[in-house]
Amino acid sequence: MKLHMVDVVGQYHKIKPDVDAAIHKILDSGQFILGKEVGEFECQIAGYLGVTYAVGCASGTDALQVAMMALDIGPGDEVITTPFTFVATTETIVLLGAKPVYVDIDPKTFNIDPTQIESVITSKTKAIIPVHLYGQAADMDPILEIARKHNLKVIEDSAQALGASYKGRKVCTFGDLSCISYFPSKNLGAFGDAGMVVTNDVALGEKVRMICAHGSKVRYYHETLGVNSRLDTLQAVILSVKLKYLDSWNAARRAAAKRYNELLKGTPATIPFVAPECDHIFHQYTLRAPKRNELAEHLKQKGIPHAIYYPVPLHLQKAFAVAGKQKGAFPVTEQAADEVLSLPIHTELTEEQLVYITDAIKEFYRTL
Ligand SMILES: *Cc1c(COP(=O)(O)O)cnc(C)c1O
């Protein structure tokens, strides 16, 4: 059986005529940089989320960087975030000369634990970056309350959670700024790198746009230090076609997750916890698995793709020693890194595949 962690080709084939037509229109126009299609896609996303301003950029990583630049985060500043996330969240903080300050995660949701945030706030703290990990919103109400009380900015890292909601409201609408990734494997994926910053603060949105364009509003007149980060026109039209399917694709992922839950009943693996106030979109379907490394080896033997997001917490990465934390500093995160295992999850999974994958897991635990 041919299995994929994500099936981007299978999904493409279902919408091929529309995608191909959109691509060819751009190839025939010769307009590859910006142009009206990028603006149209920005408006579509703003409309989908219910925000006032969206700025396309080159990747989710760039989105995080330019969002922090727009908030003037730099040397001497501290940014509170989670050590259990993709590297980009921390990397961009460090690139700007600021210091990542971690707090541990909630053991059930894997998201930042809001009850631990206040104890690490100092006079240098500028912002909090919650990450909506695996497609489930972080617990935003207490985070926003702490931010208000201490006059901090909030940047949502929504890279894994486009379309997810918290208490009935979509993620990307809570923070001062919110960052989206359209990396091909994300729930709304381009055919290459792409990203976006969204906000309800138009002035801040315009500042982000200026930073993305070399710090200029009028070409060759540079008001601030910027970068070159643009959403390609080709990616914009591809994403525009795919956006129409996002909600149904997220529903398909939820359905696959529900089926996994049923099929895995009785095994010692812990299935994903869905907080009652969250609408999870299952960017990842992640188990806590006893004997995780042995299970991973067993799945490999069976030709079943799987992944560990993430094997090494960021506070233990050599590149981020600047955070100044040793092993044992964040025990919940460190335990998660030892136990998590993500299974294939995408819109094209069949019942046969789900049964095959879960049978292999049951077999592993039976023979243990
Ligand atoms: C994917 C991802 C990013 C970065 O997005 P890119 O588009 O790959 O640069 C940032 N944060 C998280 C949590 C991600 O999963």
Side-chain angles (χ1 to χ4, degrees):
M1 189 175 296
K2 186 84 191 102
L3 293 162
H4 310 273
M5 200 62 196
V6 285
D7 190 1
V8 289
V9 176
Q11 189 183 68
Y12 163 59
H13 281 283
K14 289 199 170 155
I15 55 170
K16 186 172 164 29
D18 283 358
V19 171
D20 289 2
I23 291 172
H24 282 106
K25 203 172 145 205
I26 300 304
L27 296 186
D28 286 328
S29 80
Q31 172 82 62
F32 302 121
I33 300 295
L34 300 178
K36 76 175 188 349
E37 290 83 1
V38 174
E40 282 165 9
F41 178 60
E42 288 170 344
C43 287
Q44 288 162 8
I45 287 288
Y48 173 79
L49 293 169
V51 295
T52 51
Y53 208 93
V55 187
C57 63
S59 70
T61 304
D62 274 8
L64 287 160
Q65 180 177 334
V66 298
M68 280 186 270
M69 287 173 80
L71 296 174
D72 298 316
I73 290 172
D77 296 331
E78 295 180 354
V79 178
I80 297 172
T81 189
T82 164
F84 196 57
T85 173
F86 181 60
V87 63
T89 325
T90 280
E91 181 181 56
T92 45
I93 296 170
V94 176
L95 262 176
L96 293 175
K99 182 183 169 191
V101 174
Y102 299 120
V103 302
D104 214 345
I105 56 169
D106 177 290
K108 280 165 43 192
T109 63
F110 302 106
N111 281 323
I112 191 167
D113 178 356
T115 66
Q116 301 189 40
I117 291 176
E118 268 194 302
S119 66
V120 298
I121 293 175
T122 71
S123 58
K124 294 178 180 166
T125 309
K126 267 268 182 96
I128 307 172
I129 308 187
V131 178
H132 307 306
L133 200 71
Y134 301 150
Q136 170 160 246
D139 192 4
M140 291 310 294
D141 275 352
I143 294 170
L144 294 169
E145 198 184 310
I146 293 163
R148 243 187 324 267
K149 189 170 147 197
H150 296 271
N151 199 21
L152 305 176
K153 300 293 183 190
V154 174
I155 301 172
E156 296 176 72
D157 182 340
S158 307
Q160 302 190 2
L162 187 63
S165 56
Y166 173 82
K167 299 190 178 172
R169 186 168 141 195
K170 283 207 167 67
V171 307
C172 297
T173 63
F174 294 95
D176 294 279
L177 293 158
S178 180
C179 302
I180 301 168
S181 165
Y182 300 113
F183 186 78
S185 66
K186 300 287 157 86
N187 287 34
L188 180 60
F191 291 177
D193 278 309
M196 193 171 274
V197 178
V198 301
T199 180
N200 277 314
D201 181 334
V202 174
L204 202 50
E206 282 173 352
K207 192 167 172 195
V208 170
R209 191 178 297 287
M210 182 166 77
I211 290 167
C212 286
H214 297 289
S216 63
K217 276 185 190 149
V218 178
R219 198 187 273 185
Y220 306 128
Y221 292 80
H222 305 279
E223 294 178 39
T224 183
L225 183 64
V227 296
N228 171 23
S229 189
R230 293 181 286 237
L231 176 61
D232 284 348
T233 319
L234 277 169
Q235 302 303 346
V237 296
I238 292 162
L239 289 165
S240 183
V241 170
K242 294 179 89 177
L243 176 59
K244 300 185 199 87
Y245 301 92
L246 179 61
D247 284 341
S248 65
W249 285 342
N250 283 343
R253 285 171 178 266
R254 261 195 300 276
K258 183 161 172 265
R259 195 66 190 122
Y260 267 134
N261 290 347
E262 290 162 4
L263 291 163
L264 288 169
K265 235 174 234 151
T267 71
T270 307
I271 60 171
F273 170 78
V274 181
E277 65 273 18
C278 288
D279 190 16
H280 198 317
I281 56 158
F282 290 98
H283 173 60
Q284 297 299 341
Y285 180 88
T286 303
L287 300 172
R288 260 187 205 272
K291 303 253 176 222
R292 194 266 316 270
N293 293 346
E294 292 88 336
L295 174 61
E297 187 52 38
H298 177 76
L299 294 177
K300 193 171 154 203
Q301 305 283 323
K302 295 255 161 189
I304 297 173
H306 54 275
I308 293 166
Y309 304 117
Y310 298 89
V312 182
L314 295 175
H315 67 286
L316 301 178
Q317 299 279 0
K318 208 165 127 195
F320 306 120
V322 56
K325 294 290 180 185
Q326 312 301 319
K327 198 162 174 65
F330 303 108
V332 182
T333 293
E334 290 168 29
Q335 190 180 345
D338 287 341
E339 293 182 348
V340 292
L341 181 94
S342 300
L343 298 178
I345 184 94
H346 52 80
T347 56
E348 314 303 312
L349 277 169
T350 63
E351 173 70 11
E352 194 192 3
Q353 292 174 335
L354 289 161
V355 168
Y356 181 80
I357 294 164
T358 51
D359 276 353
I361 296 171
K362 289 180 200 165
E363 179 189 63
F364 170 77
Y365 284 117
R366 252 198 321 270
T367 57
L368 208 62

